[in-house]
C-alpha cells in the first residue's frame, strides 16, 4: 500500500479520497437525522438499540411476520441479542409463536416468558378477544407438540391457570364464534390430568367442556365428581352451589353459558 | 559483581522504563487494571459486574474510540498521505463498497466478514502484546536477541492459537478460526483433539513467560522488564480465564484502553516536538481523544443508520459495519505503527531509550 504512485494515479487517489470522505460525511449526517426523525432521539450508543427500536416499531404496526424475520437474522449474526422488551402482549405471543413454528424454540422461549409474565400480572384473560385466545391456544398446542417452549417455561400453576381459563372461555362463552368444544375439551383434559383429576375447579371446567361437546353423561359424572371433591376440600359454599346449578343444567341436557 | 552486572539486574531495568509513570504504565498500558477486573469477573462467576446501562458508554469510550483512534492517527500523523497514499485516500472507499456488498449478501458475505474479524481479533491483540513487550524491552535497555524475540512472539501468540484451534462457541454468531477456514469434514476429524490441545496451550501459556524471563535473565540482553511480561500475561488471562463472549468484550475494552493510552502518547509527543507547537500535553491529548470518540460515534452508530436508510436490514447494517470497522482498524494498524528510521514513531520510542538498539517491532506488531 505504500508503493510510489504516478501523478495521474495520485489524482485518482485524491478524487477517491474526496469521494470517500464526502460519502462518509453524508452517510453519517443522514443516519443521524434519520434516527432523530424516526425515533425522536439521536442514534443510541447501544449497538442493540436499532434492533430493539425496529422490533418495537413492527409490534406497533402489528407486522409480526417481519419481526420474526428480523429476529431470525439477528440471532444468526449475533446470537447474544436479547429478547426485546416493551412489546404488547399480542406482540410477545405472535413473535414467540412465529419463532416456535420456524423451529427456534430457545429464542421463542425468551418471548413466551415475557408473554406469560405479562399474563400473570393480568387477573383474567380477555375473553372477548378472539385473536388473543386463538394465539394462546396455538402457543399451548404448538409447545405441547414440541415438548418445549411454553410447556418448559411455564410454572405449573400458571400453565394450569392458562389451560383452565382458556378451556372455560371456549366452553362457556356466550358467543358462538368464541366457543370451541374440541379445544375446550383438549385443554380442560390436560389441566385435569396434570392434577390427577383431584382439583374441583378443573373438573368443573372439564364438565363444562363435555357439556359444550354434547357428551352429557360424562358432563354429569365429572360435575358430580367436582362437587364431591369440592365438599371434601372445604371449598366455599357459593362455589359448590354454582357447581350444583350447572349439574342440574347438564341433567336437563343444557350447556352452561356466561 | 561488576558494575555492568549490577545494571543488568537493576530495579529500573526490571520494572521497565515507563512512558508516563510506572503506576499508569502498569495499570493501563500493561493491562494491570484488566487483571483486577478479570479476577472479580471470574470469582463472581458473573459477567454483569458492571450495570448493563453503563456498558454501552464504556464500550464507546474505550472499545469504539480505540477503533477510531487508528484512523485519527492515520490522518493526523504528518506525512501519512505521502507515505501511504492508497491507505489514506482509496481504502475508505473500498471499505464502504465492501460493507455494501456484505449487506447485499449478509448471510454469505456478511457472515464471512464477521468470521474474519472474530478470527483476526485475537491475533491482533496478541500481536499488539508482542509489539508493546518488545518496545518496552527496547526502551528499558533489554536488547533481545533474535531467538528471544521468537520466543516472545510465540508466547504472545498462545491465546490466539487457543481461539483459532479450540473455540467451538456458537454464542459469537459466526465461526472462528479453524471452524471457519477448514471444511467441516476436516474440522470434525480435529474436534476430538481440541480439549487436549487446549490443556497443552494452557500449560504453555503459564510456563512460557517464566521460561522467557529465565532465558533473558541468563542471556547477555538482561532480564526482560516485568511490564513486557505483564502484557503477555494479561492477554493470556483474557482469553483463557473468561468465557469466549466475555473474552471478546473485555479483551476489546482493555486492549482499547491500552491502545488509546499508547496512541495518545505518540500523538502528544509528535505534536510537542513540532517547532510550531503552541499547546501543552493536555490540550493535544484531549483533542486527539475527543476526535476518537466523535469518529467512533459516527462510525458505529450513525453509519449503520445510513445503510438502513438505503434499504439494508437493521441488524445486518449494525453487525457488518462493526466487522468492517474492525478489519479496517487491523489493516490500518499494520501500517501506522511501522518504525522506519526517521519516522516520528521511531523518534518517540527512541527518546529516553537508554541505549542504541537494533530494529524494534511496532506496538501493533503487524
Amino acid at each position: 500500500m505504500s508503493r510510489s504512485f504516478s501523478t495521474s494515479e495520485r489524482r485518482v487517489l485524491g478524487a477517491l479520497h474526496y469521494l470517500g470522505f464526502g460519502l462518509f460525511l453524508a452517510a453519517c449526517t443522514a443516519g443521524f437525522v434519520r434516527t432523530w426523525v424516526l425515533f425522536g432521539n439521536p442514534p443510541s450508543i447501544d449497538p442493540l438499540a436499532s434492533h430493539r427500536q425496529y422490533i418495537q416499531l413492527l409490534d406497533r404496526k402489528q407486522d409480526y411476520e417481519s419481526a420474526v424475520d428480523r429476529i431470525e437474522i439477528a440471532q444468526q449474526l449475533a446470537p447474544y441479542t436479547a429478547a426485546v422488551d416493551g412489546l404488547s402482549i399480542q406482540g410477545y405471543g405472535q413473535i414467540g409463536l412465529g419463532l416456535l413454528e420456524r423451529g427456534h424454540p430457545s429464542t421463542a422461549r425468551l418471548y413466551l416468558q415475557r408473554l406469560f409474565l405479562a399474563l400473570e400480572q393480568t387477573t383474567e384473560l380477555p375473553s372477548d378477544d378472539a385473536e388473543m385466545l386463538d394465539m394462546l391456544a396455538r402457543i399451548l398446542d404448538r409447545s405441547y407438540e414440541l415438548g418445549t417452549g411454553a410447556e418448559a417455561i411455564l410454572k405449573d400453576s400458571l400453565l394450569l391457570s392458562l389451560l383452565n381459563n382458556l378451556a372455560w372461555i371456549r366452553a362457556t362463552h356466550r358467543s358462538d364464534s368464541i366457543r370451541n368444544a374440541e379445544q375446550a375439551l383438549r385443554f380442560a383434559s390436560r389441566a385435569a390430568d396434570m392434577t390427577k383429576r383431584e382439583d374441583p375447579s378443573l373438573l368443573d371446567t372439564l364438565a363444562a367442556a363435555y357439556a359444550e361437546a354434547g357428551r352429557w353423561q360424562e358432563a354429569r359424572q365429572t360435575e358430580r365428581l367436582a362437587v364431591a371433591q369440592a365438599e371434601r376440600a372445604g371449598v366455599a359454599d357459593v362455589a359448590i352451589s354454582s357447581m350444583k346449578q350447572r349439574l342440574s343444567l347438564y341433567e336437563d341436557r343444557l350447556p352452561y353459558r356466561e | 559483581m561488576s558494575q555492568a552486572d549490577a545494571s543488568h539486574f537493576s530495579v529500573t531495568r526490571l520494572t521497565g522504563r515507563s512512558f508516563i509513570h510506572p503506576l499508569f504504565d502498569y495499570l493501563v498500558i500493561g493491562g494491570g487494571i484488566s487483571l483486577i477486573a478479570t479476577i472479580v469477573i471470574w470469582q463472581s462467576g458473573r459477567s454483569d459486574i458492571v450495570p448493563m446501562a453503563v456498558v454501552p458508554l464504556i464500550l464507546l469510550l474505550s472499545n469504539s474510540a480505540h477503533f477510531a483512534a487508528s484512523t485519527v492517527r492515520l490522518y493526523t500523523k504528518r506525512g501519512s498521505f505521502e507515505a501511504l497514499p492508497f491507505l489514506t485516500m482509496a481504502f475508505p472507499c473500498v471499505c464502504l463498497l465492501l460493507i455494501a456488498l456484505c449487506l447485499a449478501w449478509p448471510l454469505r458475505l456478511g457472515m464471512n466478514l464477521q468470521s474474519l474479524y472474530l478470527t483476526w481479533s485475537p491475533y491482533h491483540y496478541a500481536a499488539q502484546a508482542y509489539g508493546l513487550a518488545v518496545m518496552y524491552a527496547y526502551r528499558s535497555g533489554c536488547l533481545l536477541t533474535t531467538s528471544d524475540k521468537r520466543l516472545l512472539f510465540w508466547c504472545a501468540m498462545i491465546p490466539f492459537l487457543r481461539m483459532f484451534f479450540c473455540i467451538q462457541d456458537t454464542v459469537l454468531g459466526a465461526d472462528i478460526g479453524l471452524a471457519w477456514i477448514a471444511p467441516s469434514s476436516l474440522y470434525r476429524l480435529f474436534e476430538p483433539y481440541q480439549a487436549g490441545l487446549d490443556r497443552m496451550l494452557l500449560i504453555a501459556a503459564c510456563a512460557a513467560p517464566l521460561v522467557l524471563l529465565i532465558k533473558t535473565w541468563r542471556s547477555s540482553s538482561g532480564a526482560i522488564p516485568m511490564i513486557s511480561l505483564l502484557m503477555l500475561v494479561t492477554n493470556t488471562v483474557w482469553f483463557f480465564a473468561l468465557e469466549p463472549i466475555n473474552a471478546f468484550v473485555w479483551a476489546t475494552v482493555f486492549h482499547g484502553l491500552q491502545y488509546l493510552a499508547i496512541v495518545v502518547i505518540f500523538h502528544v509527543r509528535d505534536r510537542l516536538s513540532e517547532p510550531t507547537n503552541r499547546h501543552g500535553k493536555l490540550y493535544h491529548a484531549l483533542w486527539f481523544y475527543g476526535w476518537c470518540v466523535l469518529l467512533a460515534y459516527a462510525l458505529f452508530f450513525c453509519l449503520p443508520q445510513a445503510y438502513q436508510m438505503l434499504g439494508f436490514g437493521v441488524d445486518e447494517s449494525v453487525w457488518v459495519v462493526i466487522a468492517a470497522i474492525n478489519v479496517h482498524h487491523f489493516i490500518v494498524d499494520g501500517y501506522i505503527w511501522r518504525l522506519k528510521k526517521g519516522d516520528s514513531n521511531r523518534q518517540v520510542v527512541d527518546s529516553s531509550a537508554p541505549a542504541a538498539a537494533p530494529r524494534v517491532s511496532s506496538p501493533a506488531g503487524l
Side-chain angles (χ1 to χ4, degrees), chain B residues 30-266:
Chain B
I33 201 166
S34 74
L35 284 185
I36 300 165
T38 306
I39 290 166
V40 174
I41 295 170
W42 195 58
Q43 281 213 320
S44 66
R46 291 167 48 192
S47 55
D48 58 342
I49 52 162
V50 177
M52 283 310 286
V54 186
V55 171
L57 186 64
I58 293 175
L59 290 176
L60 170 68
L61 298 179
S62 62
N63 183 350
S64 309
H66 116 269
F67 286 116
S70 54
T71 303
V72 176
R73 174 75 179 152
L74 176 69
Y75 289 102
T76 55
K77 191 166 174 262
R78 306 287 185 226
S80 286
F81 283 93
E82 290 75 26
L84 302 165
F86 183 81
L87 192 70
T88 48
M89 294 189 267
F91 197 51
C93 272
V94 174
C95 288
L96 290 173
L97 184 67
L98 175 75
I99 294 172
L101 289 174
C102 289
L103 285 172
W105 293 280
L107 297 180
R108 298 188 74 176
L109 281 180
M111 289 293 275
N112 278 303
L113 185 70
Q114 215 178 357
S115 288
L116 174 67
Y117 122 68
L118 290 170
T119 304
W120 200 336
S121 287
Y123 172 78
H124 175 74
Y125 302 152
Q128 176 167 302
Y130 166 74
L132 285 172
V134 174
M135 191 181 74
Y136 268 99
Y138 168 78
R139 282 176 57 78
S140 312
C142 170
L143 308 179
L144 297 169
T145 62
T146 310
S147 70
D148 291 338
K149 277 192 192 169
R150 198 176 299 132
L151 179 60
L152 178 61
F153 178 80
W154 286 109
C155 284
M157 287 297 143
I158 291 171
F160 162 66
L161 294 176
R162 178 183 194 239
M163 299 307 280
F164 190 89
F165 288 108
C166 305
I167 291 303
Q168 291 175 299
D169 202 289
T170 51
V171 168
L172 292 165
D175 286 331
I176 308 175
L178 197 65
W180 172 50
I181 291 170
S184 58
S185 54
L186 194 70
Y187 182 72
R188 268 190 221 105
L189 287 176
F190 177 72
E191 260 180 329
Y193 305 103
Q194 275 183 320
L197 179 65
D198 198 17
R199 272 194 295 276
M200 278 170 56
L201 287 172
L202 178 62
I203 294 166
C206 295
L210 284 174
V211 172
L212 184 68
L213 178 63
I214 293 165
K215 186 175 181 300
T216 52
W217 198 303
R218 293 172 64 183
S219 72
S220 59
S221 65
I224 189 167
M226 288 298 128
I227 192 161
S228 296
L229 289 180
L230 183 63
M231 312 261 180
L232 304 184
V233 171
T234 48
N235 193 46
T236 300
V237 168
W238 295 337
F239 287 102
F240 276 92
L242 301 174
E243 294 293 316
I245 182 80
N246 281 335
F248 269 94
V249 171
W250 291 109
T252 318
V253 167
F254 293 120
H255 160 89
L257 284 177
Q258 188 180 53
Y259 188 97
L260 281 167
I262 205 81
V263 76
V264 167
I265 288 167
F266 273 69

Side-chain angles (χ1 to χ4, degrees), chain A residues 1-2 5 10 13 16-17 20 24 27-28 31 34-35 42-45 47-48 50-51 54 70 74 76-80, chain B residues 56 82-83 85 87-90 93 111 114 170-171 173 245 297-299 301-302 305-306 308-309 313-316 318-319:
Chain A
M1 284 195 200
S2 54
F5 290 89
R10 279 189 175 269
L13 286 173
L16 279 174
H17 172 60
F24 176 70
C28 291
R34 172 189 188 263
T35 316
S44 165
I45 57 167
L48 300 174
S50 291
H51 173 77
Y54 195 65
R70 278 285 104 221
Q76 276 178 287
L77 290 166
Y80 43 87
Chain B
E82 290 75 26
L87 192 70
T88 48
M89 294 189 267
C93 272
M111 289 293 275
Q114 215 178 357
T170 51
V171 168
I245 182 80
Y297 182 73
L299 282 169
F301 308 107
C302 297
Q305 298 289 339
Q308 288 169 38
M309 225 170 143
V314 175
D315 302 282
E316 299 91 307
V318 171
W319 298 113

Side-chain angles (χ1 to χ4, degrees), chain A residues 70-122:
Chain A
R70 278 285 104 221
I71 292 164
E72 258 189 324
I73 288 177
Q75 286 299 315
Q76 276 178 287
L77 290 166
Y80 43 87
T81 307
V84 175
D85 286 312
L87 303 185
S88 62
I89 290 184
Q90 187 81 4
Y92 286 129
Q94 294 291 0
I95 291 171
L97 185 61
L99 289 167
L100 263 187
E101 286 176 345
R102 291 197 199 175
H104 305 292
S106 53
T107 314
R109 193 172 292 142
L110 299 174
Y111 284 89
L112 294 178
Q113 272 171 344
R114 282 160 175 75
L115 165 72
F116 296 131
L117 269 175
L119 284 176
E120 211 168 15
Q121 285 157 9
T122 58

